[in-house]
Amino acid sequence: MRVINKKSISTPLALPIIVSALLFSTAACSNQTGLSTNSDAKEMKNSSHKSPVSTEKPAFTTKTVATFDEPWAMTALPTMNNKAPKLLVTQKTGELFIVDTATGTKTTVMGVPDVAYGGQGGLGDIIIAPDFATSNNVYISYAEAGTGNDSNKFGAKVIKAKLSGMNTSTPSLQNITPVWQQIPKIASQAHYSHRLLFSPDGQYLYISSGERQEKDPAQDMSMNLGKIIRLNADGSVPKDNPFVNNSNKIASQFWTMGNRNVLGMRFDESGRLWVSEMGPKGGDEFNLIEKGKNYGWPIVSNGSNYSGTPIPDHDTRPEFEAPKITWSPVISPSSMSLYTAGTHNDFPAWQGDFLVGGLSSKALIVVDVDDDNTASERYRYDMGERIRSVLTVDGQVWVLEDESDSKLLQLLPK
């Protein structure tokens, strides 16, 4: 490590419109080894059925905008006068860029805190504050190394900072303020999750906190690992959080528990919160997140342990919330975005659908959700490369590949 600055696919009936594009490569957090006959039975048991959808699968070409080394996340800056958007893009190694999508120009943002780069750790997510138009504040997550007794231990941290000089050649982060951190720090450098999202009204900050590949913390009320966190924008705890009166103060942060490694998190058009979550050996999940619920990890899963030993399925423990979709072989979901038309409407067939990036699957997966809280995989596109991040901006779609020499792509409708 160096510190530097800078179980079965539950898609409905495998519709012919879905391209089966699972390519066998090493997943970041999920193992895509096939499951046993018992797991195949789980596939049928957990399939989500919905009314038929259009069989017309939108086609697209890709345009390369820029390249990066180990990019992790991106978000869009506000645009005016129908100009091409500028994106903020993070690299795990500790760099933050402003990218002009019209020219591909990358401008380095100075002042990024030191990050613990190694394993799955480094610079993580970035989102703009709801009041960005007046404050220029952004929220950033990253892996932080411990000190003293926590030497050689790591945890995610979330900060707020002012993005200064963003229209100059020397933008920088100023007025950095801590917002939240994982407790405790763990020797592992895996499953940070640290995805960030504001509620549609801009009042609440949601943070996905991975269980750090340690399993048990997801059910431990004294640790904020393996949870989805809900805070006010300043990091304080909302009074209506489900465990706010728990005798252990840290539990007041929790919105849900029993989560493994949530890397995608978005609200739909109805205000429901959905996440994509890495499973173990099989059993990647698409979950509807609801206040105070327990999603069962590591007690239940629709996958198996990496050793091959079984884990009880969700339906054996109905007190735990079951996923709306499970995937095996896994897709290794990395991020997701909601497609809505704006000034542009490049893909009208995707309106209201989620776009989910796949790492080991090297795919872009389109997921449809219904009013009855069911969900299903609608389309799958073979992208030929691991997909780290997906972002929709004003009816256009941008995709970041994973690892070194990764391309930022714009999807263009055919």
Side-chain angles (χ1 to χ4, degrees), residues 27-95:
C29 304
S30 293
N31 183 316
Q32 85 170 99
T33 305
L35 299 181
S36 64
T37 303
N38 290 339
S39 298
D40 293 337
K42 290 180 183 179
E43 173 179 353
M44 300 306 296
K45 182 168 52 181
N46 289 285
S47 293
S48 300
H49 297 279
K50 62 186 293 298
S51 56
V53 295
S54 169
T55 58
E56 225 176 282
K57 180 179 177 181
F60 56 79
T61 58
T62 60
K63 174 186 175 183
T64 300
V65 176
T67 59
F68 299 86
D69 287 324
E70 297 188 76
W72 206 88
M74 58 180 166
T75 194
L77 292 168
T79 58
M80 296 181 62
N81 302 322
N82 200 26
K83 290 184 178 179
K86 291 185 177 181
L87 307 182
L88 294 170
V89 178
T90 66
Q91 288 186 164
K92 276 178 58 182
T93 43
E95 296 83 19

Side-chain angles (χ1 to χ4, degrees), residues 109-113 135-138 140 159-165 170-177:
V109 179
M110 305 303 294
V112 176
S135 71
N136 282 3
N137 284 334
V138 296
I140 298 172
I159 59 170
K160 178 176 71 173
K162 181 178 180 179
L163 179 59
S164 178
T170 57
S172 63
L173 297 180
Q174 305 286 338
N175 304 331
I176 293 175
T177 305

Side-chain angles (χ1 to χ4, degrees), residues 35-314:
L35 299 181
S36 64
T37 303
N38 290 339
S39 298
D40 293 337
K42 290 180 183 179
E43 173 179 353
M44 300 306 296
K45 182 168 52 181
N46 289 285
S47 293
S48 300
H49 297 279
K50 62 186 293 298
S51 56
V53 295
S54 169
T55 58
E56 225 176 282
K57 180 179 177 181
F60 56 79
T61 58
T62 60
K63 174 186 175 183
T64 300
V65 176
T67 59
F68 299 86
D69 287 324
E70 297 188 76
W72 206 88
M74 58 180 166
T75 194
L77 292 168
T79 58
M80 296 181 62
N81 302 322
N82 200 26
K83 290 184 178 179
K86 291 185 177 181
L87 307 182
L88 294 170
V89 178
T90 66
Q91 288 186 164
K92 276 178 58 182
T93 43
E95 296 83 19
L96 172 63
F97 299 98
I98 297 176
V99 183
D100 186 337
T101 60
T103 64
T105 302
K106 299 190 301 184
T107 304
T108 301
V109 179
M110 305 303 294
V112 176
D114 289 346
V115 305
Y117 170 70
Q120 294 169 19
L123 190 57
D125 206 3
I126 184 166
I127 58 174
I128 64 173
D131 64 351
F132 182 85
T134 56
S135 71
N136 282 3
N137 284 334
V138 296
Y139 288 74
I140 298 172
S141 67
Y142 61 96
E144 178 186 59
T147 59
N149 292 335
D150 281 340
S151 293
N152 298 317
K153 294 183 180 180
F154 311 91
K157 185 172 183 177
V158 177
I159 59 170
K160 178 176 71 173
K162 181 178 180 179
L163 179 59
S164 178
M166 60 181 162
N167 293 317
T168 72
S169 60
T170 57
S172 63
L173 297 180
Q174 305 286 338
N175 304 331
I176 293 175
T177 305
V179 173
W180 176 85
Q181 63 180 340
Q182 287 180 329
I183 299 174
K185 286 183 166 59
I186 299 291
S188 167
Q189 290 178 287
H191 292 192
Y192 293 95
S193 295
H194 58 29
R195 185 67 68 191
L196 307 176
L197 179 69
F198 270 102
S199 57
D201 62 7
Q203 186 171 355
Y204 303 111
L205 173 65
Y206 291 82
I207 307 167
S208 68
S209 180
E211 41 75 276
R212 307 302 315 286
Q213 215 163 28
E214 295 289 328
K215 294 185 178 180
D216 293 342
Q219 297 294 329
D220 191 331
M221 297 294 284
S222 69
M223 302 179 180
N224 59 13
L225 311 178
K227 317 294 192 302
I228 290 178
I229 306 300
R230 178 180 182 253
L231 303 173
N232 295 313
D234 63 359
S236 62
V237 173
K239 294 180 179 179
D240 61 342
N241 271 10
F243 306 107
V244 75
N245 295 318
N246 190 284
S247 58
N248 186 343
K249 187 176 180 180
I250 199 169
S252 65
Q253 304 174 359
F254 307 166
W255 189 245
T256 63
M257 56 188 299
N259 303 104
R260 185 174 184 267
N261 190 24
V262 171
L263 291 178
M265 191 163 57
R266 282 291 184 272
F267 285 93
D268 68 13
E269 294 176 297
S270 301
R272 295 172 297 182
L273 179 57
W274 298 85
V275 304
S276 55
E277 183 166 353
M278 292 267 191
K281 186 178 180 180
D284 284 350
E285 298 182 0
F286 190 79
N287 284 308
L288 175 62
I289 295 298
E290 297 181 289
K291 178 179 180 178
K293 292 194 174 181
N294 189 326
Y295 290 77
W297 180 256
I299 300 170
V300 293
S301 172
N302 290 355
S304 303
N305 289 306
Y306 291 129
S307 65
T309 58
I311 303 172
D313 196 358
H314 276 84

Side-chain angles (χ1 to χ4, degrees), residues 337-389:
S337 193
L338 178 71
Y339 187 86
T340 54
T343 304
H344 306 274
N345 190 14
D346 286 354
F347 301 98
W350 293 350
Q351 178 65 34
D353 288 345
F354 289 102
L355 309 183
V356 181
L359 291 167
S360 64
S361 55
K362 298 185 178 180
L364 178 67
I365 295 97
V366 180
V367 171
D368 180 73
V369 297
D370 283 341
D371 292 339
D372 63 358
N373 293 341
T374 60
S376 58
E377 180 178 317
R378 189 175 178 193
Y379 306 123
R380 186 178 298 201
Y381 296 88
D382 178 4
M383 300 298 291
E385 298 290 343
R386 293 161 58 89
I387 301 303
R388 172 53 67 180
S389 185

